[in-house]
């Protein structure tokens, strides 16, 4: 059974940092892509970042590029999202998700339809 559990969310002032974790079980990262998505009140879910477990290649949305960093620890089956220089508009529920076919590796894009397994989400709130 595939299971993803996010943690690390919380309350932070603008300009601060948080590190989110996505712990996976029931599969190994070997050929997967792991993505981070977020959904803010009144907005659609958007892709934030992604990493391929094949070669550690990464993707970032324009809104977070230069501020967020995604990384993985295959031995721990865990993916991290380090969020620096946080802004109020980053406030959202953040979800990690797994794509068993690693579409990102082949396409270079982050598409939520490619991801089959999702975590429960962790709340990130950035105050002004």
């Amino acid at each position: 059974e595939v299971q993803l559990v996010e943690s690390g969310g919380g309350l932070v002032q603008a300009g601060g940092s948080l590190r989110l974790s996505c712990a996976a079980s029931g599969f190994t990262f070997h050929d997967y892509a792991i993505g981070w998505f977020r959904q803010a009140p009144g907005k659609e879910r958007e892709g934030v970042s992604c990493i391929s477990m094949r070669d550690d290649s990464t993707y970032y949305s324009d809104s977070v590029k230069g501020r967020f960093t995604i990384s993985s620890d295959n031995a721990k089956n865990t993916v991290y999202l380090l969020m620096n220089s946080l802004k109020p508009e980053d406030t959202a529920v953040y979800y990690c998700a797994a794509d068993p076919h690693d579409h990102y590796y082949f396409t270079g894009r982050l598409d939520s339809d490619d991801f089959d397994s999702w975590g429960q989400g962790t709340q990130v709130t950035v105050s002004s």
Side-chain angles (χ1 to χ4, degrees), residues 59-65:
Y59 164 89
Y60 300 95
S61 67
D62 290 341
S63 61
V64 308
K65 188 174 183 180

Side-chain angles (χ1 to χ4, degrees), residues 1-22:
E1 298 182 3
V2 175
Q3 184 174 5
L4 302 171
V5 179
E6 302 95 334
S7 62
L11 306 177
V12 64
Q13 290 186 328
S17 299
L18 286 172
R19 190 181 74 161
L20 306 183
S21 298
C22 175

Side-chain angles (χ1 to χ4, degrees), residues 8-70:
L11 306 177
V12 64
Q13 290 186 328
S17 299
L18 286 172
R19 190 181 74 161
L20 306 183
S21 298
C22 175
S25 62
F27 68 101
T28 58
F29 284 0
H30 184 62
D31 293 326
Y32 282 74
I34 303 296
W36 285 98
F37 299 81
R38 67 186 181 187
Q39 187 164 23
K43 299 180 64 177
E44 295 183 351
R45 183 179 60 201
E46 64 173 328
V48 175
S49 186
C50 184
I51 185 168
S52 169
M53 299 299 100
R54 295 175 187 262
D55 64 354
D56 288 334
S57 60
T58 58
Y59 164 89
Y60 300 95
S61 67
D62 290 341
S63 61
V64 308
K65 188 174 183 180
R67 298 187 297 122
F68 291 11
T69 303
I70 191 170

Side-chain angles (χ1 to χ4, degrees), residues 54-97:
R54 295 175 187 262
D55 64 354
D56 288 334
S57 60
T58 58
Y59 164 89
Y60 300 95
S61 67
D62 290 341
S63 61
V64 308
K65 188 174 183 180
R67 298 187 297 122
F68 291 11
T69 303
I70 191 170
S71 62
S72 65
D73 185 337
N74 286 4
K76 297 181 179 179
N77 269 22
T78 299
V79 169
Y80 306 95
L81 185 68
L82 176 61
M83 305 183 296
N84 293 324
S85 302
L86 283 162
K87 305 174 181 179
E89 51 262 44
D90 295 319
T91 295
V93 177
Y94 284 71
Y95 302 88
C96 67

